[in-house]
Amino acid sequence: MKRFFIITLMIVVFVTFLQGPTTLVNKPEEAVGHNVEKIKLEPHVKIQKENLERKQKIPGLDFTNGLNASFTTIPFFSKANGIINQGTNKLYKNYQITIVTQTTVDRLSKVSMMAEKWKAPLSIAVFIKDSQNPKAEIEKMERSIANDYPALAYYSDIHILISNKTRYPVNNLRNLAIEHSRTDLVFIMDADFLPPLGLHDYILSQKYYFNIKPSNQHYFKNNLLNFNYKKPYPSLNYLQEPSKQPEINHGQVIDYSTNIYNNDEKDLDKSNNDNNNNNNNDNNNNNDNNNDNNNNNNNNNNNNNNNNNNNNNNNNNNDNDINSNINYIENINNQNLNDDETLKVAFVIPSFSSNIPPNQHPNNKMDMIDLVKSNKIEPSNSKVCKKCHSPTDFNRWMDAVEPYEIEYKWIFEPYLVFNKTQNLPFDERLKGYGFDKNSHAFSMAVEGFHFVVLPDSFIIHVNHEPSSWEGPSLDEQQWDALRIVCEIIPDIKQKNGYNPNVVLFNEPLPNECYSDHHW
């Protein structure tokens, strides 16, 4: 009996040992064996299966037909009557930055509040939903602006885009507003945001950042991440001629505008030239010293390397090939960025959201910080999509007194001020909800833009009930938009000479793009 008990106990222990890895599911840190790995992978496999099923689903006709749809547009349907000389069509004052935004007729009240706070030019593209009878909706808009929204009439140029049975053509509208902006510097805004009073003049005071050149770049070494900036080395296999900016096709255009006045950009203070000459002399002296040091180091290294000639011959040949490739790419970069060419800079305007009434929004940073600390205002999308605005580095912004450059990472979607002559249009295949600003910011990063946060700037989203979008659910629209994004990412990389299968900014690669893992 005793022997039977012992044998039974041994069998139980043995069986328990064999089943151990699968019985410790709730304590994976204690388990061993391939079964645990299988359990850990199950959620990932499930997600990938769901994503594959989504991708195989055929999008609706409103998506596919809308990819290359054209629209009837009316640029300058109405012109700003307070800041424009109607005879010369020029701005009266020293306005040099234009808010560009898009909206529908039923949301004009929101854009009017924006105009009241901005008190500077706006270029607004208005979407007319009724393609069968657009006249009635346009007349309603005219009455509203004339009777209810004097700030819009005073500061805003209104452009019209008429529906063509697609999802909301957000990027077509943006491009329409940008194209007809009266200034080269544009500030991308959405209709639900409000700026503080005086933001135009503050941004204008930092305008010299748009005139950084290799010859004066050393003055900004405390503000830029790398003041000897060069884009990441492109792969030699993907070097191409610079791609031409795609032309915007708005279909039928009814143009009521006259010649548009563009303000000329001013250079940095020419008194810096003397300092530049002195710095160049210092740099020459440093180069002489560096050459001496390099020669000494090279002599020592050559003596050491002579002992290992047999092992290093092949490596030296490879190094020579690599160095020649790098020198070739350096020459390309130097040709692309000569002493007369300015760096591409985009100002990041930190974005927040709040439930407090618009008339209680702060107009200076001190009051803004107090409301942030009291949790009445919070960074945009902090609970929904942290990656969408985290590169702004809000903690640093709280204490910052000087502009600072940030490192771009996918899936950043900042609100930006940039020179429209340096930038590509928004991709008009993206219609409806999802990735319209994210993909454009990525394209700017690949094109070599510096993203610089202005420390005394901010905008605040006026929280509201979820908006209704034309077409299917927002979730479905977002997944449809991702199809386009997965084409945009490798395409813009390849056009700029980068291998589409190499990560630049934490963006997804082609084989992993159609997934929600990267946001």
Side-chain angles (χ1 to χ4, degrees), residues 66-170:
L67 291 176
N68 298 303
S70 61
F71 299 86
T72 297
T73 63
I74 310 176
F76 295 98
F77 176 82
S78 65
K79 301 177 185 177
N81 61 28
I83 59 175
I84 303 297
N85 184 319
Q86 300 297 329
T88 63
N89 204 45
K90 294 182 178 180
L91 295 167
Y92 279 127
K93 289 179 62 178
N94 187 29
Y95 295 114
Q96 296 187 36
I97 307 162
T98 300
I99 280 182
V100 294
T101 191
Q102 32 71 39
T103 187
T104 52
V105 174
D106 57 334
R107 299 172 72 196
L108 286 174
S109 60
K110 299 179 182 296
V111 188
S112 180
M113 287 191 293
M114 181 189 297
E116 291 171 3
K117 301 276 279 189
W118 178 243
K119 297 187 182 300
L122 293 92
S123 180
I124 304 171
V126 179
F127 181 58
I128 303 300
K129 298 179 181 180
D130 190 351
S131 59
Q132 300 299 318
N133 185 23
K135 183 178 179 181
E137 195 172 354
I138 292 173
E139 290 176 349
K140 177 183 177 182
M141 178 192 72
E142 284 187 288
R143 289 193 299 270
S144 296
I145 293 175
N147 300 327
D148 303 324
Y149 309 126
L152 282 183
Y154 193 90
Y155 292 107
S156 304
D157 291 323
I158 304 294
H159 321 289
I160 285 175
L161 185 146
I162 299 174
S163 170
N164 191 15
K165 300 178 181 179
T166 69
R167 297 176 187 177
Y168 185 69
V170 56

Side-chain angles (χ1 to χ4, degrees), residues 155-209:
Y155 292 107
S156 304
D157 291 323
I158 304 294
H159 321 289
I160 285 175
L161 185 146
I162 299 174
S163 170
N164 191 15
K165 300 178 181 179
T166 69
R167 297 176 187 177
Y168 185 69
V170 56
N171 279 351
N172 300 76
L173 291 160
R174 282 200 182 105
N175 287 337
L176 178 64
I178 291 171
E179 182 181 3
H180 298 291
S181 163
R182 294 179 184 270
T183 63
D184 285 342
L185 294 181
V186 294
F187 179 11
I188 306 300
M189 284 270 277
D190 285 335
D192 301 324
F193 281 85
L194 291 179
L197 291 170
L199 183 57
H200 173 276
D201 292 343
Y202 169 64
I203 297 174
L204 189 58
S205 72
Q206 307 298 315
K207 182 186 171 184
Y208 50 85
Y209 275 85

